[in-house]
Amino acid sequence: MSNAAKYQPHYTVKDYEMWEGDWELWFGVAVAMSPAPFAPHERFVTRLVQGFMNKIDSNNCHCEVFAGLDWYVSRDTVVRPDVMIVCGEKIEKQLTRAPTLAVEVLSPSTLSKDLNQKRALYEAQGVEYYWIVDTDQKSLRVLRLLDRKYVEMAQASRYQIELNDGCSFEIEKDALFR
């Protein structure tokens, strides 16, 4: 077997920063982002960001909400959750620490990544809440990190979010799917 067949590139953040187009970087492997999401996906993301921002502002939380921000997990891993809540020090460029909450809105092209690889990555990195949204089914799966493992919270009409800056608030599920 030739050496060319054995070669598999291992990219870093420095490589990633030079690329054009929409990519993520997973443990040194370039992962193309799927085409732009459809309207139901973006409608949900917009409504969720607005809901989170309103709750964070009204409760004087020291947190920010981002949609589409890169999270530099390590020197060879960069992901872009659909929505994140980040508490603590203000972010000036990209995120370099685990968010408190990450949300992925499912689509056929990202289903496997969101349910498997991203779930495992977020769990390993200590993301306290991982929300998985299916806009077609109007379903919301809320996972919370307990003893370093995700536990799925019981289906509810309201979800309590306790941010790591001592702030907490409730989000009403039905309001997000209107």
Side-chain angles (χ1 to χ4, degrees):
M1 181 188 308
S2 76
N3 285 339
K6 294 179 189 177
Y7 177 75
Q8 180 174 354
H10 184 92
Y11 298 106
T12 67
V13 166
K14 288 191 181 289
D15 299 314
Y16 170 84
E17 290 173 341
M18 304 291 287
W19 298 340
E20 293 183 19
D22 242 357
W23 298 87
E24 287 184 328
L25 179 62
W26 293 23
F27 306 104
V29 176
V31 178
M33 299 285 284
S34 52
F38 293 116
H41 178 284
E42 288 305 289
R43 189 176 300 117
F44 184 87
V45 166
T46 301
R47 189 169 283 128
L48 184 61
V49 167
Q50 181 181 29
F52 282 161
M53 288 177 66
N54 289 343
K55 295 291 185 175
I56 285 170
D57 289 346
S58 67
N59 287 287
N60 294 315
C61 300
H62 300 288
C63 301
E64 296 179 276
V65 182
F66 295 99
L69 182 69
D70 283 346
W71 170 22
Y72 283 40
V73 178
S74 67
R75 65 178 290 282
D76 68 354
T77 303
V78 179
V79 294
R80 190 178 307 148
D82 289 317
V83 177
M84 293 184 288
I85 294 180
V86 180
C87 299
E89 188 178 322
K90 188 174 179 138
I91 308 303
E92 296 301 331
K93 289 181 89 181
Q94 66 276 343
L95 183 62
T96 57
R97 64 182 187 274
T100 300
L101 183 147
V103 179
E104 296 293 354
V105 180
L106 301 177
S107 63
S109 62
T110 66
L111 183 72
S112 178
K113 288 191 300 189
D114 293 342
L115 294 177
N116 299 301
Q117 292 97 332
K118 283 195 173 180
R119 176 187 171 143
L121 176 68
Y122 297 168
E123 184 177 69
Q125 293 301 313
V127 177
E128 187 171 350
Y129 294 95
Y130 180 32
W131 285 22
I132 303 167
V133 179
D134 185 330
T135 57
D136 292 337
Q137 299 296 317
K138 294 188 173 19
S139 71
L140 170 62
R141 292 177 58 195
V142 174
L143 306 175
R144 183 154 190 203
L145 200 60
L146 298 171
D147 296 324
R148 299 170 59 146
K149 291 284 181 199
Y150 277 137
V151 174
E152 188 163 351
M153 308 309 288
Q155 292 290 314
S157 60
R158 294 176 177 268
Y159 290 95
Q160 182 75 22
I161 300 171
E162 297 170 17
L163 301 173
N164 52 5
D165 74 338
C167 235
S168 68
F169 56 83
E170 279 188 346
I171 290 287
E172 184 181 334
K173 178 185 166 189
D174 290 343
L176 300 174
F177 288 104
R178 280 196 192 114

